[in-house]
Amino acid sequence: MGNGGSRYLHDDLAVEDVIEATPPSGDFFLAERPSRPVVLLSGGVGLTPMVSMVEAIAAEHPGVDAYYVHATASSATHAMDAHVRSLADRHGGIRVATFYSEPEPGDVAGETHDADGFVTVDWLQRNTPLRSADIYLCGPKGFLQTFVSGLAGAGVPADRIHYEFFGPADELLAA
């Protein structure tokens, strides 16, 4: 594969091409049987595993209360919102909140997204069951630095804070 994974998939593969792949691996995954509320907190492209988790909650865990909180720059960078909201509507116990840090001229809080600015630990304390939930975080390095330490400082037990770095490899190397 000469160019990167996503570029290769978009630019070089054609319908019916065959690739070798493995299933996802690692230790960042939703509990098989969630026993507490779940908070899914993502920044930017970190929404990718969170959408999979919210899909699993919607399909397999009708009694689980879940909070899907996503931060992105604007509607221009906000992916899969309609899909996530349709899952939430069908499930009934999934709440969705989106934050835009740099709204486009047509982005209106309360219509295209829920709030301008950034998600904060204070907002999470007011709007989610932070201390009794399992918290799943995925996003770029700065996002994780802010929330992993902020959640611990807010009294969330370390064994309930689950996270994965998701961003450019150079950010991970710089960490």
Side-chain angles (χ1 to χ4, degrees):
M1 222 186 282
N3 46 0
S6 290
R7 288 284 24 118
Y8 175 76
L9 294 174
H10 288 278
D11 298 341
D12 299 334
L13 281 181
V15 173
E16 297 188 17
D17 281 354
V18 176
I19 62 170
E20 289 186 35
T22 61
S25 61
D27 58 4
F28 185 69
F29 52 87
L30 183 67
E32 190 172 320
R33 290 187 184 94
S35 60
R36 297 184 267 275
V38 172
V39 175
L40 305 171
L41 178 59
S42 59
V45 296
L47 67 85
T48 304
M50 300 307 178
V51 171
S52 294
M53 290 182 190
V54 81
E55 287 172 342
I57 292 167
E60 302 164 20
H61 306 290
V64 171
D65 285 331
Y67 300 78
Y68 175 90
V69 182
H70 180 61
T72 191
S74 68
S75 59
T77 59
H78 190 178
M80 299 191 266
D81 182 51
H83 176 61
V84 168
R85 290 185 187 275
S86 72
L87 293 169
D89 288 344
R90 262 184 282 144
H91 182 273
I94 299 171
R95 292 151 193 87
V96 178
T98 55
F99 289 73
Y100 287 180
S101 59
E102 301 170 21
E104 298 284 326
D107 292 341
V108 178
E111 292 178 22
T112 57
H113 59 291
D114 297 289
D116 291 338
F118 296 96
V119 181
T120 64
V121 172
D122 287 341
W123 184 91
L124 291 168
Q125 287 178 309
R126 289 190 314 273
N127 294 281
T128 70
L130 203 57
R131 290 191 181 167
S132 64
D134 277 308
I135 317 296
Y136 294 86
L137 302 141
C138 191
K141 182 181 73 165
F143 181 86
L144 291 179
Q145 287 173 324
T146 296
F147 285 105
V148 171
S149 62
L151 292 168
V156 178
D159 65 339
R160 291 191 186 166
I161 302 172
H162 315 277
Y163 58 93
E164 180 172 78
F165 172 81
F166 214 79
D170 59 341
E171 283 189 29
L172 183 59
L173 293 172

